[in-house]
Amino acid sequence: MRPLLVYVVIALLCFSCTSKKKNENSPLEVIPENASLILQINDFESVKNELSTNEILNNLGSEKPFSEIKTSLKSLNYFSNIKQGLLALTVDSVNLDYTFITNDSLSIDKWNQLPNKSKESLTYHNYTITAYTIDESTFYTTNLKEYWVLCSSQQLLQENISSIDTPNKNSSFKQFYDVANNEKMINIWLDIDKGNSLLNHLLDKDHKISDFASWITLDATLHGTELILSGIAQPNTKNQQYLSLFENTKPIENKIWRLAPSNSNHITSFGFDEFKKYIYNKDLNNTPTQTIDSLLNTVEEIGFTEIENEKVLFLRTYGTATLLDYLNNEKVDSEEFNGNDIWQLKADNTISVPLQPLVGETEFPYATITENTFIFTTSKNSLTTVISKIKNGDTFDKTSLFKTIETNLTQTSSVLSVSNFNGVSSLLNESVSNTLANSVSKSNLKDYVFASQIIADDGFYHTNYLIKKVTKEEVQNTVSQAFETQFNTDLATLPQFVTNHNNGRKEIVVQDQENTLYLISNTGKILWKKQLNGTIQGKIHQVDLFKNGKLQLAFTTNNEFIILDRNGKEVKPFTYNYTGGNLNPLSVFDYEGNKNYRFVVTQGKKVDMYNSKGDIVKGFTYDTAEANIIDSPQHFRIGRKDYLVFKLENGKLKILNRIGKTRINVKDTFSFSDNAIRLYQNKFTFTTIDGILYQIDSQGKISSSNLNLAKEHGMDATSRTLAIMNDNILQIRDKKIELELGVYSKPTIFYLNDKIYVAVTDIQNQKIYVYDSQAKPIPNFPVFGSSVIDMADMNRNKKPEFVFKDQENSINVYKIR
C-alpha cells in the first residue's frame, strides 16, 4: 500500500517553488552534492499562481512538514522576472535549506520600497556573494558557471562554490535532467537512497518511504482542485524494496472495484500475470516463502479494503479448484446467505501468509466465493455486508469517488489504489509516516479522492498519482442501500412501513414464521418484538384511537383481531378471538377523516363492524353475506357518498352504503381475479381470471374491455393511473413496456411527495423494475432474492425508500436519490 501514499509526500514537497534552462554547463554541476530532492520549474510565474490558488496545497500549508517548507522558501517570493530554474532541498543536522539555480537575473522586486532590509557583499574563493536580509530572513546569491545561484545558507553556498569543479558531480540526476518534459509545470527527481536524512527531517524517523524504491522521477500538473503526478520509479533489488516484488511481472486489468462495497474507505488492487513471479520475487527480497504459496498460483488479482474497521480480502482467479479444495479442508462450519455459502474457517488458517507483505498479517476466518473471486473477511457481519452490496449492485465502481478519477488512470495496473479522506489518513499512518498522516487528517480535504497507480514495465515502474476533488453529480432516480436487518427465523409476512408518531419518521413492521412481530427503526435496529398466536393477514393499519396523535397498529391474524400500541402492548378491549379462524385481512374505514374508525372483520359470510371503543356498530345491517366473502372489504368515496364494496365467492359484487344497504345494485356475476378493486376514473375497476377489465360507474353502468390478459396477470390503479402486468408486458396508462421473459408479481403503485412510482418484481430472474408515471425507468436498480414491496419517506427529506424482503430471513431498505 506504500505506493498509494508516496505521491502525497512528493507532491507536497513542492509547496513553494521556482525555474531552469539548459546550457552547455549543466546546472546540475551547481547543485549541492548532498541534494536528494530536485525540482525543475519550467514556468515560474504559472507555478506561483497555481500554488497560491491550489486548494490541496493551501489546505496543507499550515501543517508540518509543509509549513517548514513554506517558511524556508519564503525568500523566493521577493524575486521577480524569473522564468525557469532548478530548486534543490537539503538538510544539515538542524535546518532545511534550499538552493535555487537559474539563467535569469536574480533581482528583488521593489527593493527600495521594502522596509527592514539590508544587503552586503562577501567574498569567498574569488566569488562575490551578496547577502540579503529582509524582515529577519537572510539569503545569499552569487554567479556560478553562467548561472545565478540563490541559497538559504551561507555555508551551503560556500560548499557549492568549493565543489564546483568536482568531476561527475550529481551524475545520477543527469539522465533525468536530459529527458525532462519541459511542457509540464514542474519536474521532480527524488533520490530515495540518498534522501534519508531529508526525509527524516521532514517526517518522523520511522517513515517507510525508503522501503519503496531507489529513486523516482515525476512530472507535476497543478490545477485549482487537482494535483497530478506522473513518472517513473525504479527499485534497488539489493535493498529489498517494495517495487522489487513486481519485478518481471506484467500488469492486468483491475476488476475488484466491481465487488468492493461502495462504503469502502480505501481499496488497493495488486495484479500479476503470473503469481509465481511474485513468489519468486518475495524469495529474492528475503521474505519467507511457504508451502501454501502454490495454492494461489491461479490468483491474478489481490484486492484489499476495509469497511467499518473490518478488513476484506479479494482473490480473483482464473481457476478455483485448488484453492477451493484447501478451503473445504479448513472449513469448520457453513451456512447460506443471500444465495452464497458462507464458510467459517479454522482460526489458524494461513491463507494470508503468501500475500505478505502486500496485505500485512491478518487472519480471515470467514470466506465465500462469487463467480471466480474468493472473498475473505475478519467477521461474519462484514462478509454478509459485502455479499449484500454485491447482490444489490452497491459497489465501489458506481461511486462518485471512483468515477471522479476513473478517466485519469489506465485500465491495467500492477498496483492501483483509491481512497477517500478517511482512507488515505489511515494508510499514511500505516505505510508512510505518522507525521504526514496527522497533517492530512487536520486538513480540509474531505471532499477529495486520492489515487495511485503503478505499472511494471521491463524493470521500470510507470507511476501515476492523483489528488482530485470529488465531482458531485446530481443523479436523479438512482438507488442505494440504506440498511439491512437479518432475523434468526425466516419471515412469514411482507415488511411494511409505519409511522413513528414521536418524530414523524418511518419504521418497519414484519412477522417471522414463528409468529413473532418485529418493529424496526429507520436505521435497521430491532426496537421490540412480540409473540402472536397466528400469522397476520394482509396489511397492518395505523390508527389514532384516542385522537391524541399517538398511533396504534391494527390487524387480524388467522383467528384474532388485535390492536397494539407504540410499544407492542395490547390496547384493551381490542383483542377478539374468532373460533374456527380463517379471517380475512382487516378493513379500516374512516368515513369523514375524523378518526371515528370502523373496523371490519370478516369470516366466511360473517361481518363484524367495530367502532373505536371496541363495540359492535349496531346500525350496520350487513352482518351476514349471501356467500363467503373473499378478500377484505373496501371503502371508496365519490363526491359526498360512501361506497362499501364486498367481493363474494359466488361472483356477486356488493356495493353498499354506510349502514349496509345496497347503494348500487350489480346484477352480473364475475370470475374475480385476485387483484383488488380500485377506484380508477371514478369507476370501480377490477379484472377477472378470463382477462377482462370491468368498470362500474356510480349509476351502476357496467363497461368491459377484453384485454386478453393471462390468468395470472396483475393490476393496480389510482384515480388517474392504471398499471397492468400481463406476462412480460407492463402497461402504465397507455404506454406498454416489454420486459425480459420471467414470472412477474402484480404491479404496485406508490404515491409519494407528489410523484407516482410503479414497481414490479420478476420473481424468476430475481429483479425489480421501477418506473415513474410516464413509464420512464429508474436506472441502476439492484437485484433481489424475492418480491416484496412497500414504499415511504423514512427520514422526512422528501426522498423515497423502498423496503424489500430479501431472501427468507432478512429485509433490505433502499433509497431513491
Side-chain angles (χ1 to χ4, degrees), residues 4 12 155 272 285 315 318 484 579 660 799:
L4 167 65
L12 300 170
Q155 180 181 347
F272 309 93
N285 230 27
L315 298 181
Y318 57 82
E484 176 186 23
T579 303
K799 297 290 187 179

Side-chain angles (χ1 to χ4, degrees), residues 70-86:
K70 183 178 181 180
T71 300
S72 177
L73 299 178
K74 180 181 178 181
S75 54
L76 284 172
N77 294 323
Y78 295 123
F79 293 89
S80 61
N81 301 317
I82 299 175
K83 297 178 182 179
Q84 297 175 316
L86 286 182

Side-chain angles (χ1 to χ4, degrees), residues 267 278 440 588:
I267 305 175
Y278 161 70
V440 174
V588 180

Side-chain angles (χ1 to χ4, degrees), residues 25 125 175 210 331 403 529 548 592 614 717 733 753 785:
N25 292 316
H125 289 355
Q175 57 181 314
S210 57
K331 185 167 54 180
K403 291 182 180 299
K529 52 187 178 180
N548 60 1
E592 304 293 343
R733 293 177 177 171
N753 298 328

Side-chain angles (χ1 to χ4, degrees), residues 136-149:
E136 300 181 354
S137 175
T138 303
F139 46 94
Y140 306 84
T141 67
T142 192
N143 191 276
L144 291 176
K145 288 198 172 183
E146 301 178 15
Y147 294 96
W148 282 100
V149 180

Side-chain angles (χ1 to χ4, degrees), residues 53 62 145 167 337 357 578 636 679 711 739 797:
T53 59
S62 60
K145 288 198 172 183
F337 174 78
Y578 282 77
F636 301 101
L679 192 64
K711 184 177 180 180
L739 306 177
N797 56 10

Side-chain angles (χ1 to χ4, degrees), residues 3-4 7 212 229-231 251-252 254 406 408-418 451-456 461-466:
L4 167 65
Y7 74 101
F212 171 64
L229 299 169
S230 301
I252 54 94
N254 309 91
E406 189 174 15
N408 293 95
L409 303 171
T410 61
Q411 281 192 325
T412 60
S413 310
S414 302
V415 185
L416 181 56
S417 295
V418 180
S452 73
Q453 185 176 42
I454 299 173
I455 303 166
Y461 298 85
H462 300 280
T463 56
N464 295 301
Y465 304 116
L466 172 70

Side-chain angles (χ1 to χ4, degrees), residues 414-588:
S414 302
V415 185
L416 181 56
S417 295
V418 180
S419 66
N420 61 17
F421 177 75
N422 293 329
V424 79
S425 298
S426 173
L427 290 176
L428 281 169
N429 185 59
E430 177 184 334
S431 305
V432 179
S433 160
N434 181 260
T435 298
L436 196 60
N438 289 336
S439 297
V440 174
S441 66
K442 293 176 184 177
S443 69
N444 188 26
L445 296 175
K446 293 181 174 60
D447 295 331
Y448 281 78
V449 58
F450 303 79
S452 73
Q453 185 176 42
I454 299 173
I455 303 166
D457 182 15
D458 293 330
F460 288 89
Y461 298 85
H462 300 280
T463 56
N464 295 301
Y465 304 116
L466 172 70
I467 308 175
K468 188 176 183 180
K469 195 164 192 175
V470 176
T471 304
K472 300 290 185 181
E473 294 183 1
E474 288 296 328
V475 180
Q476 298 295 323
N477 293 339
T478 58
V479 176
S480 61
Q481 186 182 50
F483 64 80
E484 176 186 23
T485 302
Q486 296 182 42
F487 304 88
N488 294 326
T489 306
D490 289 347
L491 299 179
T493 66
L494 300 182
Q496 70 174 82
F497 288 111
V498 293
T499 300
N500 179 340
H501 58 247
N502 292 321
N503 56 25
R505 298 180 186 275
K506 294 294 182 180
E507 296 171 339
I508 297 170
V509 286
V510 70
Q511 187 184 28
D512 68 19
Q513 291 188 358
E514 294 181 354
N515 295 327
T516 301
L517 180 66
Y518 299 86
L519 180 67
I520 314 298
S521 76
N522 65 339
T523 60
K525 179 182 178 182
I526 296 176
L527 298 175
W528 55 255
K529 52 187 178 180
K530 181 178 178 63
Q531 185 65 49
L532 302 178
N533 295 322
T535 303
I536 293 173
Q537 305 299 299
K539 182 181 178 181
I540 295 175
H541 301 264
Q542 278 196 285
V543 295
D544 183 0
L545 277 178
F546 307 108
K547 301 182 181 182
N548 60 1
K550 295 183 178 180
L551 301 178
Q552 298 82 37
L553 306 175
F555 54 88
T556 56
T557 66
N558 181 59
N559 61 351
E560 288 183 301
F561 164 39
I562 303 173
I563 297 182
L564 304 178
D565 68 12
R566 159 82 192 154
N567 299 312
K569 296 180 180 179
E570 296 179 12
V571 179
K572 295 181 180 180
F574 290 99
T575 302
Y576 296 102
N577 291 287
Y578 282 77
T579 303
N582 199 32
L583 298 183
N584 284 316
L586 177 69
S587 296
V588 180

